[in-house]
Structures are given as C-alpha cells and as structure tokens.
Amino acid sequence: MSRSSLAQDPGSTAALTVLKRALDLESESRGPQALVCYQEGIDLLLQVLKGTKDETKKRNLRKIISDHMDRAEHLKKRLDQEKEAGKYHKQIKIEENATGFSYESLFQEYLSETVTEVWIEDPYIRHTHQLYNFLRFCEMLVKRPCKVKTIHLLTSLDEGTGKDQHSGLEEIKQSLRNHGVSLELEYSSSIHDREIRFNNGWIIKIGRGLDYFKKPQSRFFPWIL
C-alpha cells in the first residue's frame, strides 16, 4: 500500500499533514517547531497503527513512522549540539501596536514535558500591570504540558510602592502553591538584564522582559493583546 493510499484514510491524513508541516519547518531552519510537529505526527500515526488490522498497511505505517522517527532524532541531536555550543539563536522583533504575541505563542516551542524549573530575571515586576503580566506567564507554565514545580523570580524592589509589590507577589506565590508550584522570590538592586531560563537548556533574552504589553488604561483590564 502506497503513501498516497494511506492519505485516503481519515486517520492518516491528519498525521501526514502534520509531518509535511514538520518537513517544511525543518527546511526553513525552524528546528524546534519542526521537532514538535514530528512528535505530534508520529503520535498520530502510532494511534492509527494500533487500530489497523491490514498487514500491508501496518508495514507501510511502520516504515513511515520509522523514517520520521530517525529524522526527528537526528534533528533533536543537532539542536542539542547547537544549544550546547551556544550557536542556536532566534530573534523576534515585536513592532509597536503589534498583536498575536501572547506568551503562549512565544514560549510554547520551548516548553517540553521535561521542563520542571524556570528562572526569571526581570527588574520590572513592580506595578499592577507588571504583576498581572507575571501572573499570566505563571498561568501559562501551569497550563502547559510541562511539569513545572519551581519558579524563581529575581526582580528589583520598588522603593515607592514596595508594599503593594510584595503583597501582590506573595498572593501569586500562594496561588501557585495551591497548584503544587513553588515560587522563590529574590530582590536585587543591581539587576538590569532580562532573561528567562528553562531547565531543558533554553535561555530566552527579552529586551523589555515580560512587560512588552501596552500599559492598560484601567486596572480592571490588565492587558491588551
């Protein structure tokens, strides 16, 4: 049975579409996104294989799965080598008034199931809208398939309204604790750089930190996408 005949099966069509997307992304040098699509497509084909009784179709499916598993493994090794050598670099520029740059869309490709610990360095987690931004980021970590257990935040203390900042962060800390996540807070007067690190090896540098959303006009609408 050929690959074209597989495509006639509804269960296989979705998988082959995802795998084609993975090949396209890899050819565009978008390795992390390609790896996610490879994994998703392979999982879909494995589900099809479990429900297939025709032996010819089984052999064809196993061949396609094996080929793409080899390709995905090769890509993963290359990405790991680039990360270790510090060669992988991706830059995203967010223009003024741009939309569609949610935390989910920016960070999802780096949040694998192996992520259990996150470090955030951002001197401006101070005011109400900035606390809301940090809360949104934490919510994303809790909802993603990763198993985050500890979040470290290094920020600067707001000398003017430090009490509000501290109480807000403590409230977030308690909320995360209810979800089984520990928030470790640390303050520094000398912090300037903004950086997010995941324990799967990814390091993200953000020029404006988490505070790249427009400041809201009302405190009851804490963000505008």
Side-chain angles (χ1 to χ4, degrees):
M1 186 176 291
S2 66
R3 182 170 179 144
S4 59
S5 62
L6 269 181
Q8 298 174 8
D9 179 83
S12 303
T13 301
L16 294 176
T17 300
V18 174
L19 290 173
K20 183 181 183 304
R21 176 62 175 158
L23 292 168
D24 292 341
L25 287 168
E26 187 176 0
S27 68
E28 296 169 5
S29 299
R30 298 169 65 183
Q33 299 99 315
L35 191 58
V36 170
C37 286
Y38 277 129
Q39 292 168 341
E40 182 181 344
I42 290 168
D43 287 342
L44 289 172
L45 282 183
L46 287 171
Q47 293 175 23
V48 174
L49 180 61
K50 289 180 181 179
T52 301
K53 295 182 179 180
D54 183 272
E55 291 301 323
T56 302
K57 186 175 180 180
K58 281 185 177 181
R59 285 195 298 271
N60 204 340
L61 283 168
R62 291 192 184 102
K63 177 67 166 57
I64 295 173
I65 290 170
S66 177
D67 289 346
H68 285 86
M69 285 182 71
D70 289 344
R71 194 174 186 102
E73 183 61 28
H74 178 75
L75 175 60
K76 185 177 183 301
K77 287 180 179 178
R78 179 165 60 81
L79 290 175
D80 288 342
Q81 290 171 353
E82 289 179 354
K83 282 192 292 182
E84 290 176 5
K87 292 181 179 179
Y88 183 84
H89 180 264
K90 177 180 178 180
Q91 184 173 16
I92 298 175
K93 185 176 182 180
I94 302 177
E95 302 289 348
E96 183 74 16
N97 297 319
T99 60
F101 291 95
S102 66
Y103 293 145
E104 288 82 359
S105 65
L106 290 181
F107 296 107
Q108 63 179 351
E109 65 184 273
Y110 310 109
L111 292 173
S112 63
E113 293 183 358
T114 60
V115 176
T116 59
E117 198 165 5
V118 181
W119 291 262
I120 301 129
E121 295 183 9
D122 190 329
Y124 296 106
I125 309 294
R126 301 177 178 179
H127 304 298
T128 300
H129 72 283
Q130 295 167 338
L131 291 168
Y132 272 119
N133 288 338
F134 178 64
L135 175 61
R136 289 185 70 197
F137 183 78
C138 292
E139 287 177 341
M140 176 198 66
L141 294 176
V142 172
K143 293 176 182 177
R144 296 302 303 173
C146 51
K147 311 297 183 184
V148 172
K149 294 299 181 185
T150 307
I151 300 172
H152 302 268
L153 172 64
L154 175 63
T155 188
S156 60
L157 187 64
D158 187 346
E159 297 179 358
T161 58
K163 184 177 180 180
D164 293 339
Q165 177 194 27
H166 182 72
S167 62
L169 287 172
E170 286 297 324
E171 189 174 344
I172 295 173
K173 183 175 183 177
Q174 179 58 51
S175 179
L176 286 169
R177 186 181 295 120
N178 294 337
H179 288 84
V181 179
S182 173
L183 174 60
E184 303 293 335
L185 298 172
E186 185 177 350
Y187 299 95
S188 171
S189 60
S190 59
I191 178 177
H192 297 288
D193 293 336
R194 298 163 177 86
E195 179 178 281
I196 297 173
R197 301 190 306 276
F198 302 120
N199 69 324
N200 61 353
W202 288 111
I203 300 175
I204 294 95
K205 304 277 189 179
I206 307 181
R208 292 181 59 186
L210 295 175
D211 190 21
Y212 60 80
F213 293 101
K214 277 190 172 182
K215 185 177 180 180
Q217 299 299 317
S218 168
R219 67 189 181 93
F220 295 108
F221 296 93
W223 47 74
I224 301 174
L225 292 180

